């Protein structure tokens, strides 16, 4: 007798902001993928089950996965929180992911779930540092960003994004090698992966607002809707249509 394949659909509410995203509901099928940002998975009950490259299946009440770690989430009820490694919180939490991930116990899971029931979106993201009792390091000795930091911080709001590191280096009046080093300090990842994350955010926001996938793809700098869809599946493991549906719920 042939074993029947069961399809698990994504059901829930997603919110997307500048440098962060949240999902609250039931996660569904997804293929192995690598995020450009950190991901915190908080199971509603029992354990979250995640297959992580080189480590096999990891079960824990909550798991933080570092950027660029290949993994696959097993379907289940959960809160998912994504945030940039460029933030102070992202830098601090990245250091806890000694093997590419950090397992959190049931006590911390319950505290985080309690916050998730009353807070949403950016407000929920901002409570993570307090709930995890983590000091947030300051970038540099001054709270005032320098010229290069300002350029990087302004990228998400720009209408046109630079296409190459060399192009952005000219704007910053730095050599490409020096800018590459500064970008590693500021955003915690190379220029092209960070650019893809910004383009994905832009495309998802436009599609959620009603733009067609082709319109959203072109506006965000992708060659076409197929290119956007492939990039989405590569970094999130699910189709773009599932993400848009949860953003519009």
């Amino acid at each position: 007798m042939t074993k029947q394949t069961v399809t698990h659909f994504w059901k829930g509410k997603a919110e997307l902001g500048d440098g962060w995203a949240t999902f609250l509901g039931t996660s569904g099928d997804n293929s192995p993928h690598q995020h450009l940002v950190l991901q915190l998975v908080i199971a509603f009950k029992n354990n979250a089950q995640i297959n992580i490259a080189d480590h096999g299946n990891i079960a824990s009440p909550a798991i933080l996965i570092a950027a660029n770690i290949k993994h696959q989430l097993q379907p289940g009820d959960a809160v998912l929180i994504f945030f940039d490694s460029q933030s102070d919180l992202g830098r601090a939490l990245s250091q806890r992911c000694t093997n590419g991930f950090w397992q959190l116990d049931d006590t911390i899971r319950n505290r985080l779930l309690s916050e998730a029931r009353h807070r949403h979106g950016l407000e929920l993201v901002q409570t993570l540092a307090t709930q995890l009792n983590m000091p947030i390091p300051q970038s540099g000795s001054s709270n005032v960003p320098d010229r290069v930091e300002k350029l990087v911080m302004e990228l998400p709001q720009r209408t046109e994004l630079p296409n190459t590191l060399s192009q952005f280096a000219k704007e910053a009046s730095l050599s490409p090698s020096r800018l590459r080093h500064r970008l590693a300090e500021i955003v915690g990842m190379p220029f092209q992966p960070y650019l893809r994350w910004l383009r994905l955010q832009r495309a998802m926001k436009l599609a959620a607002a009603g733009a067609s996938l082709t319109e959203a793809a072109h506006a965000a700098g992708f060659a076409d809707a197929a290119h956007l869809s492939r990039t989405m599946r590569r970094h999130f493991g699910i189709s773009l249509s599932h993400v848009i549906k949860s953003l519009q719920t």
Side-chain angles (χ1 to χ4, degrees), residues 103-166:
Q103 293 178 254
L104 307 176
D105 62 29
D106 195 58
T107 299
I108 295 178
R109 184 263 300 276
N110 291 339
R111 290 210 311 259
L112 294 174
L113 279 181
S114 178
E115 290 295 331
R117 292 188 181 98
H118 302 95
R119 302 176 188 275
H120 303 280
L122 180 59
E123 204 174 45
L124 175 59
V125 177
Q126 291 173 331
T127 63
L128 282 175
T130 301
Q131 290 302 313
L132 294 174
N133 297 314
M134 295 190 65
I136 305 303
Q138 299 296 319
S139 57
S141 58
S142 171
N143 291 326
V144 180
D146 64 23
R147 178 176 54 82
V148 178
E149 286 177 302
K150 286 181 179 178
L151 276 175
V152 175
M153 291 167 62
E154 290 169 357
L155 278 176
Q157 285 75 46
R158 287 176 52 167
T159 302
E160 295 289 336
L161 292 171
N163 291 314
T164 65
L165 179 67
S166 296

Short mmCIF file of all heavy atoms in Angstrom, two decimals, residues 103-166:
data_model
loop_
_atom_site.label_atom_id
_atom_site.label_comp_id
_atom_site.label_asym_id
_atom_site.label_seq_id
_atom_site.Cartn_x
_atom_site.Cartn_y
_atom_site.Cartn_z
N GLN A 103 19.58 26.59 22.48
CA GLN A 103 18.37 26.01 23.02
C GLN A 103 17.96 26.73 24.31
O GLN A 103 18.79 26.93 25.20
CB GLN A 103 18.56 24.51 23.31
CG GLN A 103 18.76 23.68 22.05
CD GLN A 103 18.99 22.22 22.37
OE1 GLN A 103 20.12 21.74 22.27
NE2 GLN A 103 17.94 21.51 22.76
N LEU A 104 16.69 27.12 24.38
CA LEU A 104 16.16 27.82 25.55
C LEU A 104 15.23 26.90 26.32
O LEU A 104 14.50 26.09 25.72
CB LEU A 104 15.41 29.09 25.11
CG LEU A 104 16.22 30.03 24.20
CD1 LEU A 104 15.36 31.19 23.75
CD2 LEU A 104 17.46 30.53 24.90
N ASP A 105 15.23 27.02 27.65
CA ASP A 105 14.47 26.08 28.46
C ASP A 105 13.00 26.48 28.58
O ASP A 105 12.56 27.52 28.07
CB ASP A 105 15.10 25.90 29.85
CG ASP A 105 15.14 27.21 30.64
OD1 ASP A 105 14.26 28.07 30.43
OD2 ASP A 105 16.04 27.35 31.48
N ASP A 106 12.24 25.64 29.28
CA ASP A 106 10.80 25.82 29.39
C ASP A 106 10.43 27.09 30.15
O ASP A 106 9.44 27.74 29.83
CB ASP A 106 10.20 24.60 30.11
CG ASP A 106 8.69 24.53 29.95
OD1 ASP A 106 8.23 24.49 28.80
OD2 ASP A 106 7.99 24.53 30.97
N THR A 107 11.24 27.48 31.13
CA THR A 107 10.96 28.69 31.90
C THR A 107 11.01 29.93 31.01
O THR A 107 10.13 30.79 31.04
CB THR A 107 11.97 28.84 33.06
OG1 THR A 107 11.85 27.71 33.93
CG2 THR A 107 11.69 30.12 33.84
N ILE A 108 12.07 30.01 30.18
CA ILE A 108 12.20 31.15 29.27
C ILE A 108 11.10 31.11 28.22
O ILE A 108 10.51 32.14 27.87
CB ILE A 108 13.59 31.14 28.60
CG1 ILE A 108 14.67 31.36 29.65
CG2 ILE A 108 13.67 32.23 27.54
CD1 ILE A 108 16.09 31.32 29.12
N ARG A 109 10.78 29.90 27.72
CA ARG A 109 9.70 29.76 26.73
C ARG A 109 8.39 30.33 27.26
O ARG A 109 7.70 31.07 26.58
CB ARG A 109 9.53 28.30 26.34
CG ARG A 109 8.48 28.05 25.23
CD ARG A 109 7.12 27.64 25.78
NE ARG A 109 7.19 26.44 26.54
CZ ARG A 109 7.15 25.20 26.02
NH1 ARG A 109 7.02 25.04 24.73
NH2 ARG A 109 7.20 24.15 26.82
N ASN A 110 8.06 30.00 28.50
CA ASN A 110 6.79 30.46 29.08
C ASN A 110 6.78 31.99 29.24
O ASN A 110 5.75 32.62 29.03
CB ASN A 110 6.56 29.79 30.43
CG ASN A 110 6.26 28.31 30.28
OD1 ASN A 110 5.84 27.86 29.21
ND2 ASN A 110 6.48 27.54 31.32
N ARG A 111 7.92 32.57 29.60
CA ARG A 111 7.99 34.03 29.71
C ARG A 111 7.78 34.68 28.35
O ARG A 111 7.06 35.68 28.23
CB ARG A 111 9.35 34.46 30.30
CG ARG A 111 9.55 34.12 31.75
CD ARG A 111 10.47 35.12 32.44
NE ARG A 111 11.70 35.37 31.71
CZ ARG A 111 12.87 34.82 32.00
NH1 ARG A 111 12.95 33.94 32.99
NH2 ARG A 111 13.94 35.11 31.32
N LEU A 112 8.43 34.13 27.32
CA LEU A 112 8.31 34.70 25.98
C LEU A 112 6.90 34.55 25.44
O LEU A 112 6.36 35.45 24.79
CB LEU A 112 9.32 34.04 25.05
CG LEU A 112 10.80 34.31 25.35
CD1 LEU A 112 11.68 33.47 24.44
CD2 LEU A 112 11.13 35.78 25.21
N LEU A 113 6.26 33.40 25.70
CA LEU A 113 4.89 33.19 25.24
C LEU A 113 3.93 34.16 25.92
O LEU A 113 2.99 34.66 25.31
CB LEU A 113 4.44 31.76 25.52
CG LEU A 113 4.88 30.68 24.53
CD1 LEU A 113 4.32 29.33 24.95
CD2 LEU A 113 4.44 31.02 23.11
N SER A 114 4.18 34.43 27.20
CA SER A 114 3.34 35.39 27.92
C SER A 114 3.40 36.77 27.28
O SER A 114 2.38 37.45 27.12
CB SER A 114 3.79 35.47 29.38
OG SER A 114 3.03 36.43 30.10
N GLU A 115 4.59 37.16 26.84
CA GLU A 115 4.76 38.45 26.17
C GLU A 115 4.07 38.43 24.80
O GLU A 115 3.44 39.40 24.39
CB GLU A 115 6.24 38.78 26.00
CG GLU A 115 6.96 39.10 27.30
CD GLU A 115 6.44 40.36 27.94
OE1 GLU A 115 5.97 41.27 27.22
OE2 GLU A 115 6.50 40.47 29.18
N ALA A 116 4.18 37.29 24.09
CA ALA A 116 3.61 37.19 22.75
C ALA A 116 2.09 37.30 22.76
O ALA A 116 1.48 37.70 21.77
CB ALA A 116 4.03 35.87 22.11
N ARG A 117 1.47 36.98 23.89
CA ARG A 117 0.01 37.06 23.97
C ARG A 117 -0.47 38.51 24.11
O ARG A 117 -1.62 38.82 23.84
CB ARG A 117 -0.50 36.24 25.16
CG ARG A 117 -0.32 34.73 24.99
CD ARG A 117 -1.01 33.96 26.09
NE ARG A 117 -0.82 32.52 25.93
CZ ARG A 117 0.11 31.81 26.58
NH1 ARG A 117 0.92 32.42 27.44
NH2 ARG A 117 0.22 30.51 26.39
N HIS A 118 0.42 39.39 24.55
CA HIS A 118 0.02 40.78 24.80
C HIS A 118 0.73 41.79 23.89
O HIS A 118 0.31 42.95 23.80
CB HIS A 118 0.29 41.15 26.26
CG HIS A 118 -0.42 40.27 27.25
ND1 HIS A 118 0.18 39.16 27.81
CD2 HIS A 118 -1.68 40.31 27.73
CE1 HIS A 118 -0.68 38.57 28.63
NE2 HIS A 118 -1.81 39.24 28.60
N ARG A 119 1.79 41.36 23.25
CA ARG A 119 2.57 42.27 22.42
C ARG A 119 2.68 41.70 21.01
O ARG A 119 2.69 40.49 20.82
CB ARG A 119 3.96 42.49 23.01
CG ARG A 119 3.94 43.05 24.42
CD ARG A 119 5.35 43.17 24.97
NE ARG A 119 5.36 43.51 26.38
CZ ARG A 119 5.28 44.76 26.86
NH1 ARG A 119 5.19 45.77 26.01
NH2 ARG A 119 5.29 44.99 28.15
N HIS A 120 2.81 42.58 20.03
CA HIS A 120 2.87 42.13 18.65
C HIS A 120 3.90 42.95 17.89
O HIS A 120 4.28 44.05 18.28
CB HIS A 120 1.49 42.28 17.98
CG HIS A 120 0.40 41.55 18.69
ND1 HIS A 120 0.19 40.21 18.56
CD2 HIS A 120 -0.54 42.00 19.58
CE1 HIS A 120 -0.82 39.84 19.32
NE2 HIS A 120 -1.29 40.90 19.94
N GLY A 121 4.35 42.37 16.78
CA GLY A 121 5.25 43.10 15.89
C GLY A 121 6.48 43.63 16.57
O GLY A 121 7.17 42.94 17.33
N LEU A 122 6.81 44.89 16.29
CA LEU A 122 8.02 45.51 16.81
C LEU A 122 8.06 45.50 18.33
O LEU A 122 9.11 45.31 18.94
CB LEU A 122 8.13 46.94 16.29
CG LEU A 122 9.38 47.73 16.73
CD1 LEU A 122 10.65 47.02 16.30
CD2 LEU A 122 9.34 49.14 16.19
N GLU A 123 6.90 45.68 18.95
CA GLU A 123 6.84 45.70 20.41
C GLU A 123 7.31 44.37 20.98
O GLU A 123 8.02 44.32 22.00
CB GLU A 123 5.41 46.00 20.87
CG GLU A 123 5.32 46.61 22.25
CD GLU A 123 3.90 47.01 22.61
OE1 GLU A 123 2.98 46.21 22.35
OE2 GLU A 123 3.71 48.12 23.13
N LEU A 124 6.92 43.27 20.34
CA LEU A 124 7.35 41.95 20.78
C LEU A 124 8.85 41.77 20.59
O LEU A 124 9.54 41.25 21.48
CB LEU A 124 6.59 40.87 20.00
CG LEU A 124 7.00 39.41 20.25
CD1 LEU A 124 6.83 39.05 21.72
CD2 LEU A 124 6.20 38.47 19.37
N VAL A 125 9.36 42.22 19.45
CA VAL A 125 10.79 42.11 19.19
C VAL A 125 11.59 42.88 20.24
O VAL A 125 12.62 42.41 20.74
CB VAL A 125 11.12 42.64 17.78
CG1 VAL A 125 12.62 42.60 17.53
CG2 VAL A 125 10.39 41.82 16.71
N GLN A 126 11.10 44.05 20.63
CA GLN A 126 11.82 44.91 21.57
C GLN A 126 11.85 44.36 22.99
O GLN A 126 12.67 44.77 23.80
CB GLN A 126 11.20 46.31 21.57
CG GLN A 126 11.43 47.07 20.27
CD GLN A 126 10.68 48.39 20.21
OE1 GLN A 126 9.62 48.54 20.82
NE2 GLN A 126 11.22 49.33 19.46
N THR A 127 10.96 43.42 23.32
CA THR A 127 10.94 42.85 24.67
C THR A 127 11.91 41.68 24.84
O THR A 127 12.14 41.21 25.95
CB THR A 127 9.53 42.34 25.05
OG1 THR A 127 9.17 41.28 24.16
CG2 THR A 127 8.51 43.44 24.97
N LEU A 128 12.49 41.20 23.74
CA LEU A 128 13.35 40.03 23.81
C LEU A 128 14.54 40.22 24.75
O LEU A 128 14.85 39.35 25.57
CB LEU A 128 13.86 39.65 22.42
CG LEU A 128 12.89 38.92 21.51
CD1 LEU A 128 13.50 38.73 20.14
CD2 LEU A 128 12.48 37.61 22.11
N ALA A 129 15.21 41.35 24.63
CA ALA A 129 16.40 41.58 25.45
C ALA A 129 16.06 41.54 26.94
O ALA A 129 16.77 40.91 27.72
CB ALA A 129 17.02 42.93 25.09
N THR A 130 14.96 42.17 27.31
CA THR A 130 14.55 42.18 28.71
C THR A 130 14.20 40.78 29.19
O THR A 130 14.64 40.34 30.26
CB THR A 130 13.34 43.10 28.92
OG1 THR A 130 13.69 44.42 28.50
CG2 THR A 130 12.92 43.12 30.37
N GLN A 131 13.40 40.06 28.42
CA GLN A 131 12.97 38.73 28.82
C GLN A 131 14.12 37.72 28.89
O GLN A 131 14.09 36.80 29.70
CB GLN A 131 11.88 38.22 27.87
CG GLN A 131 10.56 38.94 27.99
CD GLN A 131 9.99 38.85 29.40
OE1 GLN A 131 9.95 37.77 29.99
NE2 GLN A 131 9.55 39.96 29.93
N LEU A 132 15.12 37.90 28.05
CA LEU A 132 16.27 37.00 28.05
C LEU A 132 17.36 37.47 29.00
O LEU A 132 18.42 36.83 29.11
CB LEU A 132 16.83 36.86 26.63
CG LEU A 132 15.90 36.16 25.64
CD1 LEU A 132 16.48 36.19 24.24
CD2 LEU A 132 15.64 34.72 26.06
N ASN A 133 17.11 38.60 29.69
CA ASN A 133 18.07 39.13 30.67
C ASN A 133 19.47 39.29 30.08
O ASN A 133 20.46 38.88 30.66
CB ASN A 133 18.13 38.21 31.90
CG ASN A 133 16.81 38.15 32.63
OD1 ASN A 133 16.17 39.17 32.87
ND2 ASN A 133 16.39 36.95 32.99
N MET A 134 19.52 39.90 28.92
CA MET A 134 20.79 40.05 28.23
C MET A 134 21.20 41.50 28.13
O MET A 134 20.39 42.36 27.78
CB MET A 134 20.70 39.46 26.81
CG MET A 134 20.49 37.97 26.77
SD MET A 134 20.71 37.35 25.10
CE MET A 134 22.46 37.70 24.85
N PRO A 135 22.47 41.80 28.46
CA PRO A 135 22.97 43.16 28.24
C PRO A 135 23.10 43.42 26.75
O PRO A 135 23.50 42.53 25.99
CB PRO A 135 24.34 43.15 28.92
CG PRO A 135 24.76 41.72 28.84
CD PRO A 135 23.50 40.91 28.98
N ILE A 136 22.74 44.59 26.31
CA ILE A 136 22.83 44.94 24.90
C ILE A 136 24.05 45.82 24.68
O ILE A 136 24.08 46.97 25.13
CB ILE A 136 21.56 45.67 24.42
CG1 ILE A 136 20.33 44.83 24.74
CG2 ILE A 136 21.64 45.96 22.94
CD1 ILE A 136 20.36 43.45 24.13
N PRO A 137 25.07 45.32 24.01
CA PRO A 137 26.29 46.11 23.80
C PRO A 137 26.05 47.29 22.88
O PRO A 137 25.22 47.23 21.97
CB PRO A 137 27.25 45.10 23.17
CG PRO A 137 26.35 44.11 22.50
CD PRO A 137 25.14 44.00 23.36
N GLN A 138 26.74 48.38 23.11
CA GLN A 138 26.66 49.55 22.26
C GLN A 138 27.70 49.43 21.15
O GLN A 138 28.80 48.93 21.37
CB GLN A 138 26.91 50.84 23.06
CG GLN A 138 25.90 51.06 24.17
CD GLN A 138 24.50 51.27 23.62
OE1 GLN A 138 24.31 51.95 22.63
NE2 GLN A 138 23.52 50.68 24.28
N SER A 139 27.37 49.86 19.95
CA SER A 139 28.33 49.82 18.85
C SER A 139 29.22 51.05 18.89
O SER A 139 28.80 52.14 18.57
CB SER A 139 27.60 49.75 17.50
OG SER A 139 26.73 50.86 17.37
N GLY A 140 30.45 50.86 19.38
CA GLY A 140 31.36 51.98 19.47
C GLY A 140 31.21 52.73 20.78
O GLY A 140 30.38 52.43 21.62
N SER A 141 31.98 53.78 20.95
CA SER A 141 31.97 54.54 22.19
C SER A 141 30.95 55.65 22.18
O SER A 141 30.71 56.30 23.18
CB SER A 141 33.37 55.16 22.42
OG SER A 141 33.72 55.99 21.32
N SER A 142 30.32 55.89 21.05
CA SER A 142 29.34 56.97 20.96
C SER A 142 28.03 56.43 20.41
O SER A 142 28.00 55.49 19.62
CB SER A 142 29.87 58.08 20.04
OG SER A 142 28.86 59.03 19.78
N ASN A 143 26.93 57.04 20.85
CA ASN A 143 25.63 56.64 20.34
C ASN A 143 25.34 57.27 18.98
O ASN A 143 24.35 56.94 18.35
CB ASN A 143 24.52 57.04 21.33
CG ASN A 143 24.58 56.21 22.60
OD1 ASN A 143 24.94 55.05 22.55
ND2 ASN A 143 24.24 56.82 23.72
N VAL A 144 26.17 58.20 18.57
CA VAL A 144 25.97 58.89 17.29
C VAL A 144 26.66 58.09 16.19
O VAL A 144 27.87 57.89 16.23
CB VAL A 144 26.55 60.32 17.34
CG1 VAL A 144 26.32 61.02 16.01
CG2 VAL A 144 25.92 61.11 18.48
N PRO A 145 25.91 57.59 15.21
CA PRO A 145 26.53 56.79 14.15
C PRO A 145 27.44 57.65 13.27
O PRO A 145 27.19 58.84 13.07
CB PRO A 145 25.33 56.27 13.36
CG PRO A 145 24.24 57.25 13.62
CD PRO A 145 24.46 57.74 15.03
N ASP A 146 28.51 57.04 12.76
CA ASP A 146 29.39 57.78 11.86
C ASP A 146 28.79 57.80 10.46
O ASP A 146 27.71 57.28 10.21
CB ASP A 146 30.81 57.19 11.88
CG ASP A 146 30.87 55.76 11.35
OD1 ASP A 146 29.98 55.36 10.58
OD2 ASP A 146 31.81 55.04 11.72
N ARG A 147 29.52 58.40 9.52
CA ARG A 147 29.00 58.62 8.17
C ARG A 147 28.64 57.31 7.48
O ARG A 147 27.60 57.19 6.84
CB ARG A 147 30.06 59.38 7.35
CG ARG A 147 29.68 59.64 5.90
CD ARG A 147 30.74 60.48 5.23
NE ARG A 147 32.05 59.89 5.37
CZ ARG A 147 32.52 58.91 4.58
NH1 ARG A 147 31.78 58.45 3.60
NH2 ARG A 147 33.72 58.42 4.76
N VAL A 148 29.50 56.29 7.59
CA VAL A 148 29.26 55.00 6.94
C VAL A 148 28.06 54.30 7.59
O VAL A 148 27.20 53.74 6.90
CB VAL A 148 30.51 54.11 7.00
CG1 VAL A 148 30.22 52.75 6.35
CG2 VAL A 148 31.67 54.79 6.29
N GLU A 149 27.99 54.34 8.92
CA GLU A 149 26.85 53.74 9.61
C GLU A 149 25.54 54.39 9.17
O GLU A 149 24.52 53.71 8.98
CB GLU A 149 27.01 53.86 11.12
CG GLU A 149 28.03 52.91 11.72
CD GLU A 149 28.19 53.14 13.22
OE1 GLU A 149 28.53 54.28 13.61
OE2 GLU A 149 27.98 52.19 13.99
N LYS A 150 25.55 55.70 9.01
CA LYS A 150 24.33 56.41 8.56
C LYS A 150 23.92 55.93 7.18
O LYS A 150 22.73 55.72 6.91
CB LYS A 150 24.58 57.92 8.56
CG LYS A 150 24.61 58.55 9.94
CD LYS A 150 24.85 60.05 9.84
CE LYS A 150 24.85 60.72 11.20
NZ LYS A 150 25.11 62.17 11.11
N LEU A 151 24.90 55.78 6.27
CA LEU A 151 24.59 55.31 4.92
C LEU A 151 23.94 53.92 4.96
O LEU A 151 22.96 53.65 4.25
CB LEU A 151 25.86 55.26 4.07
CG LEU A 151 26.31 56.55 3.39
CD1 LEU A 151 27.65 56.33 2.70
CD2 LEU A 151 25.28 57.02 2.37
N VAL A 152 24.50 53.04 5.79
CA VAL A 152 23.96 51.68 5.90
C VAL A 152 22.57 51.70 6.52
O VAL A 152 21.65 51.00 6.06
CB VAL A 152 24.90 50.79 6.73
CG1 VAL A 152 24.29 49.41 6.96
CG2 VAL A 152 26.26 50.65 6.04
N MET A 153 22.37 52.52 7.56
CA MET A 153 21.08 52.60 8.24
C MET A 153 19.99 53.17 7.33
O MET A 153 18.81 52.87 7.49
CB MET A 153 21.22 53.46 9.50
CG MET A 153 22.05 52.81 10.60
SD MET A 153 22.53 53.97 11.92
CE MET A 153 20.93 54.45 12.54
N GLU A 154 20.41 53.99 6.34
CA GLU A 154 19.44 54.60 5.42
C GLU A 154 19.05 53.68 4.26
O GLU A 154 18.07 53.95 3.56
CB GLU A 154 20.02 55.91 4.86
CG GLU A 154 20.13 57.01 5.90
CD GLU A 154 20.95 58.19 5.40
OE1 GLU A 154 21.49 58.11 4.26
OE2 GLU A 154 21.09 59.17 6.16
N LEU A 155 19.79 52.58 4.06
CA LEU A 155 19.53 51.69 2.93
C LEU A 155 18.08 51.18 2.87
O LEU A 155 17.47 51.19 1.79
CB LEU A 155 20.49 50.51 2.94
CG LEU A 155 21.89 50.75 2.36
CD1 LEU A 155 22.76 49.51 2.54
CD2 LEU A 155 21.81 51.12 0.89
N PRO A 156 17.49 50.72 3.99
CA PRO A 156 16.12 50.19 3.90
C PRO A 156 15.10 51.20 3.39
O PRO A 156 14.07 50.82 2.82
CB PRO A 156 15.81 49.78 5.35
CG PRO A 156 17.14 49.52 5.95
CD PRO A 156 18.05 50.53 5.34
N GLN A 157 15.36 52.51 3.58
CA GLN A 157 14.39 53.54 3.18
C GLN A 157 14.64 54.08 1.77
O GLN A 157 13.84 54.85 1.25
CB GLN A 157 14.42 54.71 4.18
CG GLN A 157 13.75 54.42 5.51
CD GLN A 157 14.57 53.53 6.39
OE1 GLN A 157 15.77 53.74 6.54
NE2 GLN A 157 13.93 52.54 7.00
N ARG A 158 15.73 53.69 1.14
CA ARG A 158 16.06 54.24 -0.16
C ARG A 158 15.18 53.67 -1.26
O ARG A 158 14.84 52.49 -1.25
CB ARG A 158 17.54 53.97 -0.48
CG ARG A 158 18.47 54.85 0.32
CD ARG A 158 19.93 54.54 0.09
NE ARG A 158 20.32 54.52 -1.32
CZ ARG A 158 21.58 54.51 -1.73
NH1 ARG A 158 22.56 54.54 -0.85
NH2 ARG A 158 21.86 54.48 -3.01
N THR A 159 14.85 54.51 -2.23
CA THR A 159 14.06 54.06 -3.37
C THR A 159 14.88 53.13 -4.26
O THR A 159 14.40 52.09 -4.70
CB THR A 159 13.59 55.28 -4.20
OG1 THR A 159 12.83 56.14 -3.35
CG2 THR A 159 12.73 54.84 -5.37
N GLU A 160 16.13 53.50 -4.50
CA GLU A 160 17.02 52.69 -5.33
C GLU A 160 18.14 52.16 -4.46
O GLU A 160 18.82 52.91 -3.77
CB GLU A 160 17.61 53.53 -6.47
CG GLU A 160 16.58 54.00 -7.48
CD GLU A 160 16.05 52.86 -8.34
OE1 GLU A 160 16.76 51.84 -8.48
OE2 GLU A 160 14.92 52.98 -8.85
N LEU A 161 18.35 50.84 -4.49
CA LEU A 161 19.43 50.22 -3.72
C LEU A 161 20.64 50.04 -4.63
O LEU A 161 20.50 49.76 -5.82
CB LEU A 161 18.99 48.86 -3.18
CG LEU A 161 17.90 48.89 -2.11
CD1 LEU A 161 17.39 47.48 -1.83
CD2 LEU A 161 18.41 49.53 -0.84
N PRO A 162 21.86 50.20 -4.10
CA PRO A 162 23.05 49.96 -4.92
C PRO A 162 23.11 48.49 -5.33
O PRO A 162 22.70 47.61 -4.59
CB PRO A 162 24.20 50.33 -3.98
CG PRO A 162 23.63 50.19 -2.61
CD PRO A 162 22.18 50.56 -2.71
N ASN A 163 23.62 48.23 -6.52
CA ASN A 163 23.66 46.87 -7.03
C ASN A 163 24.93 46.13 -6.67
O ASN A 163 24.95 44.90 -6.60
CB ASN A 163 23.49 46.86 -8.55
CG ASN A 163 22.09 47.28 -8.96
OD1 ASN A 163 21.11 46.81 -8.40
ND2 ASN A 163 22.00 48.17 -9.94
N THR A 164 26.02 46.86 -6.46
CA THR A 164 27.29 46.21 -6.19
C THR A 164 27.99 46.87 -5.01
O THR A 164 27.70 48.03 -4.65
CB THR A 164 28.23 46.30 -7.40
OG1 THR A 164 28.56 47.68 -7.65
CG2 THR A 164 27.56 45.71 -8.65
N LEU A 165 28.93 46.14 -4.42
CA LEU A 165 29.73 46.69 -3.33
C LEU A 165 30.55 47.87 -3.82
O LEU A 165 30.70 48.88 -3.12
CB LEU A 165 30.64 45.60 -2.76
CG LEU A 165 31.57 46.03 -1.63
CD1 LEU A 165 30.77 46.40 -0.39
CD2 LEU A 165 32.57 44.92 -1.30
N SER A 166 31.08 47.78 -5.05
CA SER A 166 31.90 48.87 -5.60
C SER A 166 31.08 50.15 -5.73
O SER A 166 31.57 51.25 -5.43
CB SER A 166 32.46 48.47 -6.96
OG SER A 166 33.34 47.38 -6.84
#
